[in-house]
Amino acid sequence: MRVLDLFCGCGGLSDGFKQAGFEIDTGIDIDEDSVATFRRNFSNSEAICRDITNFSKKEIKKNFANRNIDVLVGGPPCQGFSSANRWDKEKNDPRNKLFLEYFNFIDALKPKVVLIENVRGILTMNNGYTKNKIIGLFKDSGYKLTHAATLNSADFGVPQNRIRAFFIAVQEKNFDKKIDIFNSSQIKGLNVKDALGELYILEKKVLKEDFYILKNSPDTSYRRYLRSRHNKIYNHEVKYPAEVTQKKISYVPQGGNWRDIPNHILKSNRTNRHSSAYRRLNEENQSVTIDTGNSHSNYFHPKFNRIPSVREAARIQSFKDNFIFYGTRGSQYRQVGNAVPPLLAKGIAKAIKKEYFD
């Protein structure tokens, strides 16, 4: 069961499919740091740093046809599909170039299953025109859609509310089977403390190497899932913001936001702020959606007056501790925030495996 991951990023989708028993053949992305991270965590797979628009169909077949790719996954952007455009204009719209190149890979390799991940709004964008356009492109390639729906990672064992849209399509000859991804959920009700609580003891410790070591045994099933073999914690560089910011956030209780900061402390215009400003995570609830921010992130640690570290954000995303991120600190935050949570990907992958490969 071989997977090709386009727009792979650091490898969230691939990690979930790997956990479900698939073999990750190749990951392709244009971002060098993401590819370095992918290469580190999928050492038996090929990692290619390249713009997929540079692949011709002939080259796709030459490089990948003999690898028997069974599943193609990825999250191509498609902002240029609009009911106001004619198809000939849409084909030449640079905003659609990456999406259409994704279908070049489909046409060239004819995988058994195709998975597309995107923002939740894609299903209703342009009064449903974008969704219908994607369905039409699948039909032109000989595929039918089994799913076009939103999924919340919190329903798949992830301590985070994160809703994304997923399209799953199969070759028309296999359309008698229907993948039931909605019964693939795992543990529900996990919270921020499940992910971060055992790291609190590291707050005052000095980082002597590039990792910490947790000496206590994991006390929950989620923490046992997260732990690496030697209990090492990488990517946990703790940075506190300026004192003025620390003072502001110190007034905010868990689950609160900027409204909890006194007027004489937060002097700027209070009427134009979004509810996410100065929001502090509640350790007893699921996290808000992990974003790609760094110093401008929209959420603060439940206990400390700082944003979560890269490792803490990765744990909320359901990346195991042995998944190491490369690049600058800002790049690592972007990689984590852009990723599909591995446990959500695993749930989808298990459903695909059950229907088409068992």
Side-chain angles (χ1 to χ4, degrees), residues 139-275:
K139 183 177 180 181
D140 293 341
S141 297
Y143 288 76
K144 283 191 176 182
L145 220 60
T146 64
H147 284 84
T150 57
L151 295 174
N152 189 345
S153 61
D155 294 329
F156 291 79
V158 182
Q160 173 192 184
N161 280 305
R162 185 186 190 93
I163 301 174
R164 299 286 285 183
F166 291 88
F167 294 86
I168 300 177
V170 301
Q171 294 179 9
E172 284 190 297
K173 61 184 180 181
N174 295 324
F175 194 65
D176 58 316
K177 297 182 178 181
K178 186 173 179 62
I179 300 168
D180 188 0
I181 55 178
F182 298 100
N183 285 331
S184 301
S185 59
Q186 302 172 43
I187 302 171
K188 297 184 180 182
L190 293 175
N191 57 35
V192 170
K193 191 173 183 179
D194 289 315
L196 307 189
E198 64 176 353
L199 302 185
Y200 294 170
I201 60 174
L202 302 177
E203 194 68 16
K204 302 297 183 180
K205 292 189 176 182
V206 178
L207 183 63
K208 296 180 179 179
E209 299 183 66
D210 58 349
F211 58 86
Y212 295 94
I213 294 180
L214 288 176
K215 296 182 179 180
N216 58 307
S217 299
D219 54 1
T220 70
S221 59
Y222 188 65
R223 291 173 183 177
R224 285 191 290 273
Y225 158 80
L226 290 171
R227 288 289 190 96
S228 63
R229 182 179 178 184
H230 298 292
N231 297 318
K232 292 181 178 180
I233 303 294
Y234 290 88
N235 305 114
H236 188 50
E237 181 185 8
V238 170
K239 294 284 188 179
Y240 274 81
E243 288 189 14
V244 63
T245 301
Q246 292 185 52
K247 185 175 182 179
K248 291 174 183 177
I249 193 62
S250 68
Y251 288 94
V252 181
Q254 293 191 29
N257 59 23
W258 65 270
R259 294 184 178 88
D260 298 292
I261 304 174
N263 289 337
H264 70 280
I265 299 295
L266 188 63
K267 297 179 181 179
S268 57
N269 189 344
R270 298 171 66 94
T271 62
N272 63 354
R273 291 187 178 274
H274 191 271
S275 61

